[in-house]
Amino acid sequence: SRFPGYAVSISGVVLALALFTAELRDYVAAPRRHEMSVHMERNEELPLKLRISFTNMPCSLINVDMVDEGESYAHGELWSELHKVPLDASGAEIPASRERVDLVRDREFKKGLALHTAQHQRGLLGDIEGPREGEGTGGGEGDGGTGGASRAGDEEDRPKEDEAKKASPGGAAKNDANSMKEEMMKDVETLVDELARKHGTPTFGDRKASLERGEGCLVYGEAHLKRLAGRIQFHMAAMQWYYMEELMFSGMGSKSQLNMSHHIEHLGFGEPVPGAVNPLDGHAKVASSKEGTYQYYLNTVPTEYVWRSGKKMLTHQYSVNELALPLADHVQPQVVFKYDVSPIQVTITEQSLGFGHFLVRICAVIGGVFAVTGMIDTWVFRLIGLLEGAGDKRSRDAAARRIL
């Protein structure tokens, strides 16, 4: 029978193809050598590329801030090309409303709102507490009569509701707190509109409208950071968050709708290393009622990748730890990426086998496979011959016995 010979030959061809494929894969995907050394370069930049979407935070309420230990932002040495694109309630982009992120403008808006709010709050507290001891008395001992007359006039002009507050100290404190709160709410609207006219930021009406529509925000782009420890922060101005929280709680539903739930589509420092994946790519967080602030601690490692052709690429890999913090009273939610730079550099070098070496190995593989299959075919043929010969002998012996 020729079937055993066919089986051995087909098995040999399949084995040769499998080994050839394995050798070809090793040749194309060259083995890599990893080495570590001290990073000696200076005055380098840390290229950042990101794409993060916030499902429950409108673009008009998100401030972006980038700060490093050298305060590069203050010296105008920080280059960025970031953009914000609003997302509708279904998560689809609204390209017509795309805007460029101005880090200086956002920082000035935050400072202006905090300064005006602090001044206004001190004024309101001063009105509630009244004049301090020794103030408004009309002078010293020589002016005692004038001071007394002034105080008498003030007592006569005091409104009747103040007398009611005296009769009920608890009610007076509650009314004072409510009036201060209402005054601060009205003042926030005025401040936001004033700063919008000054810095070109969205007005209060625009912010409220985007909140009512349930918009989200997509932040994407790139920036050139200094190779210094720093942070990338996505947040709201504190007083703005306080107002929006009260607005949603009182008239627009649950305040938990406004949070920092986010999806990190991509976050990397430079070009990706072939075969490697950034640990935060595809990472998502949905804010719960107990979480409001998310902090990511990144340790970037300078990485030099060398191809077989001699081409080099300097990029950065990173490791990450994360921490979710509860949202305290009147503390704005935020997402913070704190990064540090390692002084150790990793060099990854592709090792080439050489085309001649590859041909030698292929010839050895194919020749060895066919030599082995030839030996196996010979052994099988001889075994079959022996079995057939033994069968023929038994047949002849049986025939001879029948004749005798």
Side-chain angles (χ1 to χ4, degrees):
S1 175
R2 297 180 179 180
F3 177 76
Y6 293 155
V8 172
S9 298
I10 293 173
S11 300
V13 171
V14 172
L15 180 60
L17 289 175
L19 294 176
F20 172 78
T21 303
E23 291 292 339
L24 181 62
R25 185 176 60 250
D26 290 342
Y27 175 74
V28 174
R32 302 174 182 178
R33 183 179 71 251
H34 293 72
E35 298 175 328
M36 291 188 295
S37 60
V38 178
H39 188 70
M40 304 297 293
E41 299 295 331
R42 292 177 292 179
N43 300 323
E44 285 188 336
E45 292 182 340
L46 188 65
L48 168 70
K49 293 184 178 180
L50 59 84
R51 187 179 179 89
I52 306 175
S53 57
F54 300 89
T55 55
N56 295 328
M57 187 69 69
C59 289
S60 58
L61 299 181
I62 293 181
N63 288 342
V64 183
D65 203 4
M66 296 182 179
V67 181
D68 58 39
E69 291 183 349
E71 298 184 351
S72 301
Y73 66 91
H75 306 295
E77 299 178 0
L78 178 63
W79 177 89
S80 66
E81 189 65 29
L82 301 176
H83 295 87
K84 292 192 291 188
V85 180
L87 305 175
D88 60 22
S90 63
E93 298 181 18
I94 309 176
S97 301
R98 184 175 74 101
E99 65 170 324
R100 185 179 182 275
V101 175
D102 190 333
L103 299 177
V104 177
R105 184 189 66 179
D106 285 356
R107 194 173 294 112
E108 291 299 325
F109 172 81
K110 177 184 175 182
K111 289 182 179 179
L113 187 59
L115 178 61
H116 286 73
T117 302
Q119 292 176 349
H120 182 70
Q121 188 173 8
R122 285 195 297 268
L124 289 173
L125 291 174
D127 292 343
I128 293 173
E129 293 174 359
R132 299 180 180 178
E133 183 179 355
E135 295 181 357
T137 58
E141 294 180 359
D143 297 331
T146 305
S150 176
R151 286 195 297 272
D154 291 342
E155 291 294 336
E156 293 176 358
D157 295 337
R158 180 168 295 178
K160 293 182 179 181
E161 54 267 23
D162 290 349
E163 297 179 1
K165 290 180 182 180
K166 285 184 178 181
S168 177
K174 184 176 181 180
N175 291 335
D176 289 341
N178 290 335
S179 62
M180 185 184 74
K181 183 177 178 181
E182 292 175 0
E183 187 68 22
M184 291 180 66
M185 293 300 182
K186 294 178 181 178
D187 191 57
V188 167
E189 297 185 26
T190 304
L191 289 176
V192 170
D193 289 337
E194 289 180 358
L195 294 172
R197 289 190 295 269
K198 181 178 179 181
H199 301 291
T201 56
T203 63
F204 179 82
D206 295 336
R207 299 169 192 268
K208 182 179 179 181
S210 62
L211 191 61
E212 291 173 342
R213 290 192 296 266
E215 291 183 358
C217 185
L218 170 66
V219 182
Y220 72 94
E222 57 183 306
H224 291 175
L225 311 175
K226 290 295 182 181
R227 250 187 110 255
L228 301 170
R231 72 176 187 271
I232 308 163
Q233 189 173 8
F234 302 87
H235 63 100
M236 292 176 61
M239 198 60 205
Q240 188 178 204
W241 159 246
Y242 174 70
Y243 185 89
M244 292 299 174
E245 182 186 46
E246 294 293 335
L247 179 65
M248 294 191 69
F249 185 75
S250 60
M252 296 177 60
S254 173
K255 62 182 179 181
S256 62
Q257 295 174 359
L258 189 64
N259 56 54
M260 276 295 183
S261 296
H262 57 279
H263 176 221
I264 305 173
E265 300 179 28
H266 173 71
L267 192 148
F269 298 90
E271 297 298 325
V273 174
V277 179
N278 293 318
L280 284 179
D281 286 1
H283 181 75
K285 274 291 185 179
V286 179
S288 66
S289 58
K290 296 182 180 180
E291 298 175 349
T293 297
Y294 300 93
Q295 294 184 356
Y296 296 92
Y297 300 90
L298 283 64
N299 189 4
T300 64
V301 180
T303 303
E304 184 181 44
Y305 193 89
V306 184
W307 280 274
R308 287 179 297 180
S309 62
K311 178 184 175 182
K312 298 181 180 181
M313 176 185 69
L314 182 61
T315 182
H316 292 78
Q317 301 182 90
Y318 65 89
S319 61
V320 61
N321 288 317
E322 61 180 287
L323 179 64
L325 301 176
L327 185 61
D329 292 338
H330 308 319
V331 176
Q332 71 274 26
Q334 57 184 336
V335 175
V336 183
F337 299 91
K338 297 183 178 181
Y339 60 90
D340 200 355
V341 182
S342 172
I344 303 299
Q345 173 180 306
V346 176
T347 302
I348 304 175
T349 306
E350 292 184 350
Q351 294 180 315
S352 177
L353 298 176
F355 186 70
H357 193 188
F358 171 70
L359 286 179
V360 171
R361 296 183 65 168
I362 291 299
C363 292
V365 166
I366 296 177
V369 168
F370 279 99
V372 172
T373 53
M375 295 171 58
I376 294 175
D377 182 68
T378 301
W379 294 338
V380 170
F381 179 77
R382 290 181 178 179
L383 178 61
I384 293 175
L386 291 175
L387 294 176
E388 290 178 347
D392 292 342
K393 183 178 181 181
R394 285 194 297 270
S395 299
R396 289 194 299 271
D397 292 343
R401 285 194 296 269
R402 283 195 299 271
I403 292 174
L404 294 175

